[in-house]
Short mmCIF file of all heavy atoms in Angstrom, two decimals:
data_model
loop_
_atom_site.label_atom_id
_atom_site.label_comp_id
_atom_site.label_asym_id
_atom_site.label_seq_id
_atom_site.Cartn_x
_atom_site.Cartn_y
_atom_site.Cartn_z
N ILE A 255 5.00 21.61 6.57
CA ILE A 255 5.51 21.07 7.81
C ILE A 255 5.85 19.64 7.67
O ILE A 255 5.09 18.86 7.04
CB ILE A 255 4.39 21.29 8.91
CG1 ILE A 255 4.38 22.79 9.25
CG2 ILE A 255 4.70 20.46 10.12
CD1 ILE A 255 3.57 23.19 10.40
N ASP A 256 7.02 19.22 8.20
CA ASP A 256 7.52 17.84 7.92
C ASP A 256 7.00 16.85 8.91
O ASP A 256 7.71 16.20 9.60
CB ASP A 256 9.08 17.88 7.95
CG ASP A 256 9.60 18.23 9.31
OD1 ASP A 256 8.90 18.95 10.02
OD2 ASP A 256 10.68 17.73 9.71
N ALA A 257 5.66 16.71 8.91
CA ALA A 257 4.99 15.66 9.72
C ALA A 257 4.11 14.96 8.76
O ALA A 257 3.07 15.49 8.29
CB ALA A 257 4.26 16.29 10.88
N ALA A 258 4.39 13.64 8.46
CA ALA A 258 3.64 12.92 7.45
C ALA A 258 2.34 12.40 8.07
O ALA A 258 2.31 11.85 9.15
CB ALA A 258 4.46 11.78 6.92
N GLY A 259 1.25 12.61 7.31
CA GLY A 259 -0.09 12.05 7.76
C GLY A 259 -0.20 10.59 7.36
O GLY A 259 0.62 10.07 6.62
N GLN A 260 -1.24 10.00 7.83
CA GLN A 260 -1.53 8.62 7.41
C GLN A 260 -3.00 8.28 7.84
O GLN A 260 -3.52 8.82 8.81
CB GLN A 260 -0.57 7.61 8.11
CG GLN A 260 -0.43 7.73 9.63
CD GLN A 260 0.60 6.76 10.15
OE1 GLN A 260 0.61 5.60 9.73
NE2 GLN A 260 1.44 7.20 11.06
N LYS A 261 -3.55 7.40 7.04
CA LYS A 261 -4.95 7.00 7.35
C LYS A 261 -5.01 5.58 7.90
O LYS A 261 -6.09 5.05 8.15
CB LYS A 261 -5.84 7.12 6.13
CG LYS A 261 -6.20 8.54 5.78
CD LYS A 261 -7.24 8.61 4.72
CE LYS A 261 -7.70 10.06 4.47
NZ LYS A 261 -8.46 10.18 3.20
N GLY A 262 -3.84 4.91 7.97
CA GLY A 262 -3.86 3.59 8.69
C GLY A 262 -3.56 2.40 7.86
O GLY A 262 -3.25 1.33 8.40
N THR A 263 -3.58 2.53 6.55
CA THR A 263 -3.39 1.31 5.75
C THR A 263 -1.98 0.77 5.84
O THR A 263 -1.80 -0.44 5.82
CB THR A 263 -3.77 1.56 4.24
OG1 THR A 263 -3.21 2.81 3.89
CG2 THR A 263 -5.29 1.58 4.06
N GLY A 264 -0.98 1.68 5.97
CA GLY A 264 0.42 1.23 6.23
C GLY A 264 0.52 0.49 7.49
O GLY A 264 1.17 -0.54 7.61
N ARG A 265 -0.08 1.13 8.50
CA ARG A 265 -0.07 0.50 9.88
C ARG A 265 -0.74 -0.90 9.84
O ARG A 265 -0.20 -1.85 10.41
CB ARG A 265 -0.76 1.42 10.84
CG ARG A 265 -0.74 0.91 12.29
CD ARG A 265 -1.27 1.92 13.25
NE ARG A 265 -2.63 2.31 13.03
CZ ARG A 265 -3.06 3.59 12.79
NH1 ARG A 265 -2.22 4.58 12.79
NH2 ARG A 265 -4.29 3.83 12.60
N TRP A 266 -1.85 -0.98 9.18
CA TRP A 266 -2.58 -2.28 9.05
C TRP A 266 -1.63 -3.33 8.43
O TRP A 266 -1.57 -4.44 8.81
CB TRP A 266 -3.83 -2.20 8.20
CG TRP A 266 -4.93 -1.36 8.77
CD1 TRP A 266 -5.04 -0.95 10.04
CD2 TRP A 266 -6.06 -0.88 8.07
NE1 TRP A 266 -6.22 -0.20 10.15
CE2 TRP A 266 -6.81 -0.11 8.98
CE3 TRP A 266 -6.49 -0.96 6.71
CZ2 TRP A 266 -8.01 0.48 8.59
CZ3 TRP A 266 -7.68 -0.37 6.30
CH2 TRP A 266 -8.39 0.33 7.27
N THR A 267 -0.89 -2.90 7.38
CA THR A 267 0.04 -3.83 6.71
C THR A 267 1.09 -4.33 7.68
O THR A 267 1.41 -5.52 7.72
CB THR A 267 0.72 -3.15 5.48
OG1 THR A 267 -0.28 -2.43 4.72
CG2 THR A 267 1.36 -4.13 4.51
N ALA A 268 1.68 -3.36 8.45
CA ALA A 268 2.67 -3.73 9.38
C ALA A 268 2.17 -4.68 10.47
O ALA A 268 2.76 -5.71 10.79
CB ALA A 268 3.30 -2.51 10.00
N ILE A 269 0.99 -4.37 10.99
CA ILE A 269 0.38 -5.19 12.06
C ILE A 269 0.12 -6.59 11.41
O ILE A 269 0.40 -7.65 12.11
CB ILE A 269 -0.92 -4.54 12.57
CG1 ILE A 269 -0.58 -3.31 13.33
CG2 ILE A 269 -1.71 -5.57 13.41
CD1 ILE A 269 -1.79 -2.44 13.69
N GLU A 270 -0.48 -6.66 10.24
CA GLU A 270 -0.80 -7.91 9.65
C GLU A 270 0.47 -8.81 9.42
O GLU A 270 0.46 -10.01 9.61
CB GLU A 270 -1.53 -7.70 8.35
CG GLU A 270 -2.24 -8.90 7.74
CD GLU A 270 -3.24 -9.46 8.73
OE1 GLU A 270 -3.88 -8.72 9.52
OE2 GLU A 270 -3.51 -10.69 8.70
N SER A 271 1.53 -8.18 8.99
CA SER A 271 2.76 -8.91 8.79
C SER A 271 3.28 -9.54 10.00
O SER A 271 3.86 -10.62 10.05
CB SER A 271 3.81 -8.01 8.16
OG SER A 271 4.45 -7.19 9.13
N GLN A 272 3.07 -8.81 11.16
CA GLN A 272 3.47 -9.41 12.46
C GLN A 272 2.66 -10.60 12.79
O GLN A 272 3.12 -11.62 13.33
CB GLN A 272 3.37 -8.31 13.53
CG GLN A 272 4.38 -7.16 13.40
CD GLN A 272 5.84 -7.60 13.74
OE1 GLN A 272 6.05 -8.71 14.18
NE2 GLN A 272 6.76 -6.73 13.48
N HIS A 273 1.33 -10.49 12.52
CA HIS A 273 0.48 -11.67 12.82
C HIS A 273 0.92 -12.88 11.96
O HIS A 273 0.93 -14.01 12.41
CB HIS A 273 -1.00 -11.35 12.51
CG HIS A 273 -1.63 -10.48 13.56
ND1 HIS A 273 -1.65 -10.81 14.86
CD2 HIS A 273 -2.29 -9.31 13.44
CE1 HIS A 273 -2.22 -9.83 15.59
NE2 HIS A 273 -2.67 -8.93 14.71
N LEU A 274 1.26 -12.57 10.70
CA LEU A 274 1.68 -13.65 9.79
C LEU A 274 3.11 -14.08 10.05
O LEU A 274 3.52 -15.14 9.48
CB LEU A 274 1.61 -13.17 8.34
CG LEU A 274 0.21 -12.87 7.75
CD1 LEU A 274 0.35 -12.00 6.49
CD2 LEU A 274 -0.50 -14.21 7.42
N MET A 275 3.86 -13.35 10.85
CA MET A 275 5.31 -13.54 11.01
C MET A 275 6.03 -13.54 9.64
O MET A 275 6.87 -14.36 9.38
CB MET A 275 5.57 -14.81 11.79
CG MET A 275 5.06 -14.69 13.21
SD MET A 275 5.64 -15.98 14.36
CE MET A 275 4.81 -17.45 13.74
N THR A 276 5.63 -12.62 8.81
CA THR A 276 6.23 -12.47 7.48
C THR A 276 6.99 -11.15 7.50
O THR A 276 6.40 -10.09 7.75
CB THR A 276 5.15 -12.37 6.39
OG1 THR A 276 4.54 -13.65 6.30
CG2 THR A 276 5.81 -12.06 5.05
N PRO A 277 8.32 -11.17 7.30
CA PRO A 277 9.11 -9.93 7.43
C PRO A 277 8.83 -8.90 6.28
O PRO A 277 9.01 -9.25 5.13
CB PRO A 277 10.55 -10.39 7.43
CG PRO A 277 10.52 -11.69 6.81
CD PRO A 277 9.16 -12.35 7.04
N ILE A 278 8.42 -7.71 6.65
CA ILE A 278 8.34 -6.63 5.72
C ILE A 278 9.03 -5.35 6.32
O ILE A 278 8.42 -4.36 6.45
CB ILE A 278 6.87 -6.31 5.29
CG1 ILE A 278 5.97 -6.04 6.53
CG2 ILE A 278 6.29 -7.41 4.42
CD1 ILE A 278 4.69 -5.34 6.18
N PRO A 279 10.32 -5.48 6.68
CA PRO A 279 10.93 -4.44 7.44
C PRO A 279 10.92 -3.08 6.77
O PRO A 279 10.86 -2.07 7.47
CB PRO A 279 12.38 -4.99 7.66
CG PRO A 279 12.57 -6.06 6.67
CD PRO A 279 11.24 -6.62 6.40
N ALA A 280 11.07 -3.04 5.41
CA ALA A 280 11.10 -1.69 4.77
C ALA A 280 9.78 -1.00 4.95
O ALA A 280 9.75 0.26 5.18
CB ALA A 280 11.48 -1.86 3.35
N ILE A 281 8.70 -1.77 4.89
CA ILE A 281 7.37 -1.14 4.99
C ILE A 281 7.16 -0.75 6.48
O ILE A 281 6.64 0.35 6.75
CB ILE A 281 6.31 -2.19 4.54
CG1 ILE A 281 6.44 -2.40 3.01
CG2 ILE A 281 4.89 -1.69 4.85
CD1 ILE A 281 5.55 -3.50 2.45
N GLU A 282 7.57 -1.63 7.37
CA GLU A 282 7.37 -1.27 8.80
C GLU A 282 8.17 -0.03 9.12
O GLU A 282 7.74 0.87 9.83
CB GLU A 282 7.88 -2.43 9.70
CG GLU A 282 6.82 -3.51 9.77
CD GLU A 282 7.33 -4.68 10.61
OE1 GLU A 282 8.36 -5.27 10.30
OE2 GLU A 282 6.66 -5.01 11.64
N ALA A 283 9.43 0.02 8.61
CA ALA A 283 10.29 1.19 8.85
C ALA A 283 9.66 2.51 8.31
O ALA A 283 9.73 3.54 8.98
CB ALA A 283 11.64 0.99 8.19
N ALA A 284 8.93 2.39 7.20
CA ALA A 284 8.30 3.55 6.65
C ALA A 284 7.13 4.00 7.51
O ALA A 284 6.90 5.21 7.67
CB ALA A 284 7.80 3.24 5.23
N VAL A 285 6.42 3.09 8.11
CA VAL A 285 5.30 3.42 9.01
C VAL A 285 5.90 4.09 10.24
O VAL A 285 5.43 5.16 10.69
CB VAL A 285 4.50 2.18 9.44
CG1 VAL A 285 3.38 2.57 10.39
CG2 VAL A 285 3.90 1.51 8.20
N VAL A 286 6.98 3.51 10.80
CA VAL A 286 7.63 4.10 11.96
C VAL A 286 8.17 5.48 11.61
O VAL A 286 7.97 6.42 12.42
CB VAL A 286 8.79 3.22 12.45
CG1 VAL A 286 9.60 3.87 13.50
CG2 VAL A 286 8.24 1.88 12.89
#
Side-chain angles (χ1 to χ4, degrees):
I255 288 187
D256 64 330
Q260 53 183 316
K261 285 191 174 165
T263 43
R265 182 171 62 236
W266 294 344
T267 315
I269 291 169
E270 195 57 30
S271 78
Q272 293 287 353
H273 285 307
L274 290 164
M275 293 194 291
T276 295
I278 54 162
I281 294 170
E282 282 179 300
V285 178
V286 173

